[in-house]
Amino acid sequence: MRLPNILLTGTPGVGKTTLGKELASRTGLKYVNVGDLAQEGQLYDGFDEEYEYPILDEARVADELENKMKEGGVIVDYHGCDFFPEQWFHVVFVLQTDNSVLYTRLEKRHYSVKKLQHNVQCEIFQILYEEAMASYKPEIVHWLPSNVPEELKSNLDQVIKWIEEWIKDNN
Ligand code: DAT
């Protein structure tokens, strides 16, 4: 059976991991957290001192994922999307969270003030949405509000419905 590949993207803290893991457990699709994958394989290419994060070796990450993506049925979670081959994904969901809600969530991660403000600004300027729209066909890019538990529930319903439709249309 053919299964779709799904990209969940958005600023850190918007809820990609929460949605991705729940989707995987409800649909049986595989969940890949690119941050974790990079950490496990040490797929890094330096460290950004200003915002305190390791810089991804994007080519090695893409190589590592290639075979899995060819098989299909993968949910990928990452706060970036312009370095994945465009043809990998059948749909892209960009999660979005209001600034004040995001600020509180990131405070709990004990980010430095500089890093915290940088991430909230990313969200205000919709950097990830712009990146997704520039990297994929706009018609496959959808945004999902992700502030409160009710929205998590409706996002789950919406994505599961999308997956079911895709499977029906492609098998
Ligand atoms: P990300 O993977 O995008 O960094 P996450 O899944 O770790 O984000 O979520 C960050 C925090 O926000 C975590 O404590 C769970 C919470 N959260 C996620 N989605 C939510 C929602 N729709 N409503 C309320 N809280 C949510």
Side-chain angles (χ1 to χ4, degrees), residues 48-144:
D48 184 305
E49 300 288 346
E50 194 176 3
Y51 296 115
E52 301 163 24
Y53 67 89
I55 299 163
L56 221 58
D57 185 331
E58 297 175 346
R60 281 170 68 208
V61 168
D63 279 353
E64 187 75 26
L65 276 172
E66 178 72 25
N67 287 339
K68 224 186 220 137
M69 300 308 293
K70 274 192 199 143
E71 282 169 25
V74 187
I75 300 165
V76 172
D77 161 352
Y78 194 56
H79 55 267
C81 62
D82 58 358
F83 66 94
F84 301 121
E86 187 188 347
Q87 73 276 10
W88 273 5
F89 295 104
H90 301 100
V91 70
V92 177
F93 291 100
V94 186
L95 279 71
Q96 291 184 324
T97 302
D98 293 344
N99 317 323
S100 54
V101 178
L102 186 63
Y103 196 96
T104 310
R105 285 188 198 164
L106 293 180
E107 257 181 335
K108 291 189 186 134
R109 291 187 178 176
H110 305 294
Y111 281 6
S112 67
V113 173
K114 192 170 180 174
K115 184 168 176 167
L116 210 158
Q117 285 174 346
H118 173 68
N119 278 294
V120 172
Q121 267 179 15
C122 258
E123 187 64 3
I124 292 170
F125 293 117
Q126 304 195 324
I127 300 294
L128 269 304
Y129 185 71
E130 297 291 329
E131 188 175 318
M133 290 293 273
S135 307
Y136 300 90
K137 291 200 187 86
E139 59 267 30
I140 72 157
V141 178
H142 308 273
W143 75 272
L144 299 173

Side-chain angles (χ1 to χ4, degrees), residues 11-18 77 105 109 146-149 152:
T11 309
V14 292
K16 302 178 295 296
T17 307
T18 309
D77 161 352
R105 285 188 198 164
R109 291 187 178 176
S146 179
N147 301 288
V148 290
L152 172 61

